[in-house]
Amino acid sequence: MQNYTKTLLNYFLIGILAIIPIVVILQIIIFIEKIVSDLFSIVYDYADSYVYTALFFVVSFTIVVSIGQKIVKKGRPWVITIFDRIIAKIPFLNTVYRVIGKLINMFSSHDQTVGKEVVYVEYPSPGIWVPAYVTNHHEDRYVLFIPTSPNPTSGFTVIVHQAKIVKSAMNIEEATSFIVSVGVDYNKSAEMTQLP
């Protein structure tokens, strides 16, 4: 009976891990659909015309694409810079806004200076190696975010000496895939032999 229960729990966990990516994607799609439908109903209720509503969405899409293009080619537009300065003067909101901005820059491809490096670090004890994102560094000290598996949005932030880390050839996407798949998707497995 005990073995049967253990087998059932094992199958249950495997099933949960298989379903998690689908649920996450569906939640993202539902979230985006809700935002778009809410915005559509607000605009339509105000204009009371499908033509004006469609025109609003086309203009909005064009503006957002234009902002993205300017950021890639010339840097931040003045409108966003002014908004940044206004938010910077509001307590609490300025901290949240600044942190979210840094996280987005870390994971976005256009900022090549922040958070592009993945390393291995011994955690939680010597001899146990985990991948970590380099989020900051100063001289020989590194600030690392060590994500948990299979949910990389939670984890631990630690400061370690450069001598305590081993560099990895993985990029952020590969490291995240490794973490979410609990090690199944590991295309840099040869790096395991480099760990002391």
Side-chain angles (χ1 to χ4, degrees):
M1 183 65 183
Q2 190 176 5
N3 285 341
Y4 180 72
T5 307
K6 196 180 285 187
T7 305
L8 278 179
L9 285 173
N10 190 34
Y11 288 160
F12 178 76
L13 287 174
I14 290 169
I16 288 289
L17 291 174
I19 291 170
I20 283 174
I22 298 168
V23 171
V24 169
I25 295 298
L26 286 175
Q27 287 297 322
I28 292 170
I29 291 170
I30 290 167
F31 176 72
I32 292 170
E33 186 271 334
K34 185 175 183 337
I35 288 174
V36 171
S37 64
D38 287 350
L39 187 59
F40 183 86
S41 65
I42 289 168
V43 173
Y44 183 76
D45 288 347
Y46 181 76
D48 199 24
S49 167
Y50 284 113
V51 175
Y52 288 128
T53 306
L55 187 62
F56 171 80
F57 278 97
V58 169
V59 170
S60 300
F61 180 79
T62 306
I63 289 169
V64 172
V65 168
S66 172
I67 289 170
Q69 182 186 28
K70 284 182 181 174
I71 288 172
V72 169
K73 292 188 175 179
K74 302 177 183 176
R76 295 169 74 79
W78 62 269
V79 176
I80 293 180
T81 305
I82 290 171
F83 184 76
D84 288 349
R85 288 179 184 163
I86 293 169
I87 292 292
K89 295 179 181 180
I90 303 172
F92 181 71
L93 279 183
N94 59 3
T95 304
V96 174
Y97 183 73
R98 182 174 44 82
V99 169
I100 290 171
K102 284 188 176 183
L103 284 172
I104 290 169
N105 283 338
M106 176 177 148
F107 287 100
S108 67
S109 59
H110 69 268
D111 189 341
Q112 300 298 323
T113 61
V114 182
K116 292 297 175 186
E117 196 173 357
V118 175
V119 297
Y120 295 101
V121 64
E122 289 182 291
Y123 187 86
S125 60
I128 299 173
W129 293 88
V130 294
Y133 307 125
V134 177
T135 58
N136 210 337
H137 66 88
H138 179 68
E139 294 178 0
D140 59 354
R141 304 288 170 175
Y142 278 71
V143 179
L144 306 177
F145 175 68
I146 303 172
T148 55
S149 224
N151 177 13
T153 58
S154 66
F156 306 93
T157 304
V158 296
I159 301 172
V160 298
H161 191 274
Q162 184 176 2
K164 299 282 187 183
I165 63 172
V166 174
K167 305 246 176 162
S168 172
M170 284 193 288
N171 59 33
I172 283 187
E173 290 79 14
E174 290 169 331
T176 304
S177 180
F178 169 78
I179 292 153
V180 170
S181 71
V182 293
V184 174
D185 185 13
Y186 188 29
N187 59 5
K188 299 285 192 297
S189 55
E191 293 182 346
M192 284 193 283
T193 58
Q194 300 169 9
L195 302 173

